[in-house]
Amino acid sequence: MTLRGPKVWLWRWRRNPLKRRADRVEAWVVLGVWSLTLIVALLAGTTVSRSVEGGLARERVEWRPVVARLAEKAPGRASESGHVSRAEHVWAEARWTAANGSSHSGQVRALAGSAAGTPITVWTDREGRQVTRPVTETQARVRALLIGGVAGFLAAAVPLAGGRAVRRRLERRRIDQWDAEWSRFGPLWGRTTG
């Protein structure tokens, strides 16, 4: 069990006649590591967040809805009730024409038992390839903040790990210096002057 006194703020920076050069170096290392960690985290998080948000905004501008037609009857049967559950939607083959006039086909979700030729809305990119529906501005902002936060956190781990390694090395060096001094002065403790 370690006994500690009251927490003293900024103890590394206070004057103390017992403070050694290694203690001052460690104080500067700690300050530098925390400053660098904060800067790296903010830069990485902000950069990644802006990049993600910009990419999602580009998708909202470039991706367009297109009406596709089922190429064949959708498998299964539609229920007799007017309520349609997600389970009643099945994958079916559909065809559509892109804005550039090229013909495309792919699997789409359709109501079970839908007839061939039934219109289904699909989202496509510039080349007419099928994509998911783009996220809204609010969803994009939340996604960008989350991804940016994770990126900032992971980027901050690098200077923290480096600082931890430097502090460990300084601590080892300080212990070695104490051992050397103890071996020099330790034998003198039992003597008395007379």
Side-chain angles (χ1 to χ4, degrees):
M1 183 170 108
T2 304
L3 298 176
R4 294 183 182 206
K7 182 101 173 160
V8 178
W9 288 96
L10 302 172
W11 64 270
R12 294 179 192 277
W13 301 100
R14 293 179 184 244
R15 291 194 176 275
N16 184 339
L18 300 177
K19 191 183 336 183
R20 300 171 184 217
R21 180 176 181 268
D23 296 326
R24 287 189 295 275
V25 169
E26 185 177 358
W28 283 105
V29 166
V30 169
L31 179 66
V33 165
W34 278 108
S35 300
L36 185 63
T37 298
L38 183 64
I39 291 168
V40 166
L42 287 173
L43 284 175
T46 304
T47 302
V48 169
S49 181
R50 286 181 180 164
S51 175
V52 168
E53 198 163 3
L56 294 174
R58 212 172 15 264
E59 288 176 0
R60 278 194 306 277
V61 170
E62 294 175 359
W63 293 1
R64 294 282 173 235
V66 174
V67 175
R69 303 268 177 203
L70 289 181
E72 57 194 29
K73 182 180 182 290
R77 290 186 321 169
S79 67
E80 287 78 32
S81 70
H83 176 70
V84 177
S85 71
R86 180 129 174 97
E88 293 175 353
H89 283 85
V90 295
W91 289 103
E93 185 74 21
R95 291 190 176 86
W96 63 91
T97 303
N100 62 8
S102 60
S103 188
H104 296 272
S105 64
Q107 294 286 316
V108 297
R109 297 285 287 173
L111 189 59
S114 295
T118 302
I120 303 285
T121 301
V122 295
W123 285 84
T124 60
D125 62 8
R126 283 182 174 180
E127 288 79 32
R129 293 182 302 243
Q130 186 176 1
V131 293
T132 59
R133 177 188 295 262
V135 296
T136 64
E137 274 188 63
T138 304
Q139 292 169 331
R141 193 171 299 116
V142 169
R143 189 178 294 181
L145 287 173
L146 288 174
I147 293 172
V150 169
F153 179 78
L154 292 175
V158 174
L160 277 178
R164 186 89 168 150
V166 169
R167 285 190 62 205
R168 199 171 314 129
R169 185 171 173 98
L170 288 171
E171 182 72 24
R172 231 180 287 126
R173 186 173 174 199
R174 184 171 34 244
I175 295 296
D176 290 343
Q177 287 174 346
W178 285 347
D179 284 344
E181 289 180 20
W182 181 256
S183 66
R184 198 171 85 198
F185 291 110
L188 300 176
W189 276 33
R191 297 185 186 170
T192 57
T193 55

